[in-house]
Amino acid sequence: MSDNTQFSFGAATGVGSLPGGDAREAAKTATGSFEDFPFLPELPARGPGADMIGRTAGMLVELYARVEPSGWRIGDRPGRDTRRARSWLREDLDALEEFTQGYEGPLKVQAVGPWTLAASLELKNGEAALSDPGACRDLAASLAEGLRLHLDEVRRRVPGARIVLQLDEPSLTAVLRGQVRTASGYRTHRAVDRQIVEAAVRDIVGVHDEGPVVVHSCAPDVPFALLRRAGAAAVSFDFSLLTERDDEAIGEAVEGGTRLFAGVVPGTDGPLSDPAGSVMGVRTLWRRLGLHPGLLAQAVTITPACGLAGASPGYARRALAHCVRAARSLADNPE
């Protein structure tokens, strides 16, 4: 569903990962910080299977992955690594369910998208699945089925929630440009045709027919237009990486109803500016694009620049609270 008009997003939310390894503490933070738009936290510090790739690999249907020294590799049967990934996801869902009793409103869950998964998962020969078009198709089909089951499970546990699915695609631009390195590191995999990339994203977006999909990338040069055509209702990005080259694509996206998840709060420890200062760049962009200030609160959700796994627990909590205050500043003073 790419039409935002029927869906009320929250003004601020998190990206996904948090520091530490305590699922209940993380769920308490994610739901307490964002009463209007909580998210299912990811805790990669727990180790393989709790990381972004391993967590989504554990969702796959009839495809399994195990940890090798070089990374995650597709195997023939579920092993210890698959079981561990699934166990941690259940633990996270248990904690989320506990802290969302009676909740009604938007709730965000994250999974890795098809192209970052294809760039990150190895085949038996050690090369990325990206090197084999058939493997890419199989992976996307398995991911689609796994996401259907995952979304059903979240709906069962938090029945009042309106689920927002976030697809994490940090490797998407590299896939489009032929910049993903081969196993040897001496070459790169050839660029994937844009229409093939768009079709695969569209198929995964179509899995979530009961709510919107946001695509997240904290890499430079996010392909806004491609994601919009693929049906993404929102695009999540690191605001500091935007250049004026992105202006036209962003203006078209906003005017076409695409929501922006603007990552304006740093993801690692450091001083935080005042809330108004954090969103000053968003206001400046709006003026530069000639967009109506009244659209700001309707079109923008404030987030950290990327996941907070590398931050200290104290900073992560402050950063999430800062997102809420920055969003309020934007709504109160759009000009």
Side-chain angles (χ1 to χ4, degrees):
M1 182 181 98
S2 60
D3 180 12
N4 290 356
T5 58
Q6 303 304 311
F7 194 95
S8 176
F9 290 85
T13 192
V15 170
S17 63
L18 291 176
D22 185 328
R24 288 188 76 254
E25 185 61 35
K28 184 179 178 183
T29 297
T31 55
S33 300
F34 303 109
E35 294 177 2
D36 299 327
F37 198 0
F39 65 100
L40 175 64
E42 300 164 2
L43 300 172
R46 293 181 295 196
D51 61 299
M52 187 172 81
I53 300 299
R55 185 182 185 89
T56 300
M59 294 180 192
L60 298 175
V61 172
E62 294 181 1
L63 277 181
Y64 310 101
R66 64 178 186 273
V67 180
E68 298 285 342
S70 53
W72 284 91
R73 182 170 295 182
I74 295 170
D76 297 324
R77 60 183 67 85
R80 180 185 60 193
D81 297 322
T82 298
R83 288 193 294 273
R84 185 166 49 201
R86 291 176 177 174
S87 171
W88 272 326
L89 180 56
R90 277 196 304 274
E91 188 179 305
D92 294 338
L93 287 168
D94 287 345
L96 182 75
E97 184 178 0
E98 178 184 346
F99 286 99
T100 51
Q101 293 293 311
Y103 175 72
E104 294 183 357
L107 167 69
K108 186 165 70 67
V109 299
Q110 304 82 224
V112 176
W115 293 108
T116 297
L117 208 56
S120 305
L121 284 181
E122 298 173 359
L123 302 173
K124 291 175 188 173
N125 65 4
E127 286 296 351
L130 187 67
S131 64
D132 181 336
C136 289
R137 287 192 294 272
D138 291 346
L139 196 54
S142 174
L143 176 63
E145 196 51 43
L147 283 175
R148 279 191 193 94
L149 296 172
H150 178 54
L151 292 167
D152 285 346
E153 176 74 359
V154 178
R155 285 187 200 104
R156 185 182 67 76
R157 288 170 175 266
V158 195
R162 301 193 303 281
I163 298 170
V164 178
L165 171 62
Q166 175 178 305
L167 298 174
D168 290 318
E169 282 283 17
S171 299
L172 185 59
T173 301
V175 167
L176 288 165
R177 293 185 173 176
Q179 294 171 339
V180 177
R181 296 210 162 272
T182 58
S184 69
Y186 295 121
R187 294 187 303 110
T188 56
H189 295 288
R190 68 177 56 181
V192 181
D193 182 89
R194 294 182 81 86
Q195 289 182 312
I196 292 173
V197 170
E198 185 181 321
V201 175
R202 185 182 296 111
D203 287 347
I204 300 296
V205 168
V207 166
H208 187 34
D209 55 5
E210 294 186 31
V213 175
V214 49
V215 179
H216 167 73
S217 172
C218 45
D221 299 319
V222 176
F224 287 92
L226 182 150
L227 295 174
R228 208 173 98 237
R229 289 194 304 271
V235 180
S236 169
F237 55 94
D238 179 343
F239 192 86
S240 71
L241 298 179
L242 288 185
T243 69
E244 292 197 16
R245 288 199 315 271
D246 298 305
D247 280 8
E248 187 178 345
I250 290 177
E252 287 176 359
V254 172
E255 288 176 344
T258 305
R259 193 172 183 89
L260 305 179
F261 280 45
V264 298
V265 178
T268 51
D269 289 44
L272 292 167
S273 74
D274 66 294
S278 292
V279 290
M280 187 166 59
V282 180
R283 292 193 187 97
T284 301
L285 172 69
W286 230 246
R287 281 196 296 272
R288 205 164 67 225
L289 295 177
L291 295 167
H292 193 281
L295 269 178
L296 261 173
Q298 299 167 33
V300 176
T301 291
I302 297 299
T303 72
C306 209
L308 292 165
S312 67
Y315 175 82
R317 286 191 293 272
R318 288 196 301 277
L320 297 183
H322 191 82
C323 288
V324 174
R325 289 195 293 271
R328 195 172 298 135
S329 167
L330 198 61
D332 291 347
N333 302 295
E335 299 187 65

